[in-house]
């Protein structure tokens, strides 16, 4: 009797395990920010895009392919040439995501690694096309314009593959060694030219100041000569009185000066 009970329990457990395995294989989860495309062994890739949550499928017949539809960053380095034939090293940072409604077409025509197959090629193509329109100097002074043109052209190009570009920015922009050395030499020459111009201007100002000072001294001497010719020694006596008055005023404000009355005997107690 006990053997029959254990046998029944064993069969029930086996049946339950098989049923659980079948149910588990018929369920799949789509995480937040993801979408699923169903591949059917008999009908191929289905046009329906499955959203987030837990869903059913036919085991062995159907298989879910999960895509991440959140924005993801990617850096694409490119070496290209400018309009004046200078080597330019550019790194472009892209935030991209697939168009959810076009996932079946993306999987069918490109594959799951669509970003590896599409982004490097179209980024290189667009960057070379845009950079070739500008000189090396314009790439520096008009960087915002270059970035905007690259963003517009690349966004339009990526849309044909079912991709959305949320942000496109130039994160790195350098030139070849020869161009860098030429720019540094030009900056040094400009600094030396500015220094020479400053020296010349300073000498000119000093020359003008000397001329003005000499003219002033000449005019003063002329006025003094005229005054002496008119007033005689009276002008000299007046200047002496003015000088004496100024000296007396300065001495009166000094604490180290002592005045002694004139014509009186003053006893000074000096140490023996």
């Amino acid at each position: 009797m006990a053997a029959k009970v254990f046998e029944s329990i064993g069969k029930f457990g086996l049946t339950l395990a098989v049923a659980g395995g079948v149910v588990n294989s018929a369920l799949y989860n789509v995480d937040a920010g993801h979408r699923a495309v169903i591949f059917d062994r008999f009908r191929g890739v289905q046009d329906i895009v499955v959203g987030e949550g837990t869903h059913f499928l036919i085991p062995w017949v159907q298989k879910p392919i999960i895509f991440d539809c959140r924005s993801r960053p990617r850096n694409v380095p490119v070496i290209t040439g400018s309009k004046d034939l200078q080597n330019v090293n550019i790194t472009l940072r892209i935030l991209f995501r697939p168009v959810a409604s076009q996932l079946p077409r993306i999987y069918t025509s490109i594959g799951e690694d669509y970003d590896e197959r599409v982004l490097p090629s179209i980024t290189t193509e667009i960057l070379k096309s845009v950079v070739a329109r500008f000189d090396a100097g314009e790439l520096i002074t008009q960087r915002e314009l270059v970035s905007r043109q690259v963003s517009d052209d690349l966004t339009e190009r990526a849309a044909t593959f079912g991709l959305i570009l949320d942000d496109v920015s130039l994160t790195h922009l350098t030139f070849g060694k020869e161009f860098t050395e030429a720019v540094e030499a030009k900056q040094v020459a400009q600094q030396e030219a500015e220094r020479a111009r400053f020296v010349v201007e300073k000498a000119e100002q000093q020359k003008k100041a000397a001329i003005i000072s000499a003219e002033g001294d000449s005019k003063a001497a002329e006025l003094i000569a005229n005054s002496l010719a008119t007033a005689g020694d009276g002008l000299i006596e007046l200047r002496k009185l003015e000088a004496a008055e100024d000296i007396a005023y300065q001495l009166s404000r000094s604490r180290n000066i002592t005045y002694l009355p004139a014509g009186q005997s003053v006893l000074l107690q000096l140490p023996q």
Side-chain angles (χ1 to χ4, degrees):
M1 183 68 181
K4 291 182 179 181
V5 172
F6 282 116
E7 184 179 357
S8 299
I9 293 175
K11 291 180 179 179
F12 178 75
L14 179 61
T15 303
L16 187 62
V18 172
V22 172
V23 172
N24 184 61
S25 63
L27 295 176
Y28 67 97
N29 293 322
V30 179
D31 296 331
H34 294 68
R35 296 292 185 272
V37 173
I38 302 300
F39 172 74
D40 191 293
R41 293 182 182 273
F42 300 104
R43 294 181 296 172
V45 177
Q46 304 297 301
D47 293 333
I48 299 175
V49 178
V50 182
E52 302 166 359
T54 301
H55 307 276
F56 289 95
L57 55 74
I58 302 174
W60 187 82
V61 176
Q62 294 179 332
K63 181 181 71 170
I65 296 93
I66 308 297
F67 285 89
D68 189 351
C69 292
R70 297 171 296 183
S71 293
R72 290 181 291 162
R74 184 182 180 89
N75 293 326
V76 181
V78 177
I79 300 177
T80 183
S82 62
K83 186 178 180 180
D84 53 351
L85 304 180
Q86 296 293 335
N87 289 329
V88 184
N89 299 321
I90 299 181
T91 299
L92 198 66
R93 185 178 185 273
I94 306 171
L95 280 178
F96 70 96
R97 56 188 172 91
V99 180
S101 60
Q102 298 189 30
L103 285 176
R105 183 177 69 86
I106 293 175
Y107 179 69
T108 302
S109 59
I110 304 176
E112 294 183 71
D113 56 343
Y114 59 89
D115 55 326
E116 293 287 346
R117 298 189 179 189
V118 173
L119 290 178
S121 60
I122 65 173
T123 300
T124 302
E125 174 190 353
I126 296 300
L127 275 177
K128 288 186 175 183
S129 172
V130 174
V131 171
R133 307 172 195 168
F134 297 88
D135 294 335
E138 294 174 342
L139 292 175
I140 299 175
T141 58
Q142 302 181 25
R143 181 166 179 166
E144 183 178 355
L145 176 61
V146 175
S147 179
R148 184 167 62 250
Q149 288 192 6
V150 170
S151 178
D152 294 341
D153 295 350
L154 190 58
T155 300
E156 181 180 357
R157 188 81 171 87
T160 61
F161 294 93
L163 300 180
I164 298 174
L165 303 185
D166 293 323
D167 182 67
V168 178
S169 57
L170 295 175
T171 59
H172 184 71
L173 177 62
T174 59
F175 300 92
K177 181 179 179 181
E178 295 79 7
F179 180 78
T180 304
E181 292 176 351
V183 171
E184 292 176 354
K186 182 179 179 181
Q187 290 177 345
V188 172
Q190 288 178 345
Q191 291 175 356
E192 292 178 351
E194 288 292 329
R195 190 180 297 110
R197 185 170 63 85
F198 172 76
V199 172
V200 172
E201 290 180 354
K202 182 179 179 181
E204 290 291 336
Q205 294 299 326
Q206 291 176 345
K207 179 180 178 181
K208 291 180 180 179
I211 293 173
I212 294 173
S213 178
E215 291 177 350
D217 293 342
S218 176
K219 186 66 176 178
E222 181 182 355
L223 292 175
I224 292 174
N226 293 335
S227 299
L228 289 174
T230 304
D233 295 338
L235 177 63
I236 298 176
E237 295 298 328
L238 177 61
R239 292 290 183 265
K240 288 182 179 179
L241 291 175
E242 291 176 350
E245 182 181 0
D246 182 63
I247 293 172
Y249 175 75
Q250 296 294 335
L251 292 176
S252 66
R253 295 174 61 85
S254 175
R255 296 181 180 180
N256 297 324
I257 302 299
T258 302
Y259 293 93
L260 299 178
Q264 297 183 8
S265 298
V266 180
L267 181 61
L268 300 177
Q269 295 182 358
L270 302 175
Q272 296 298 328

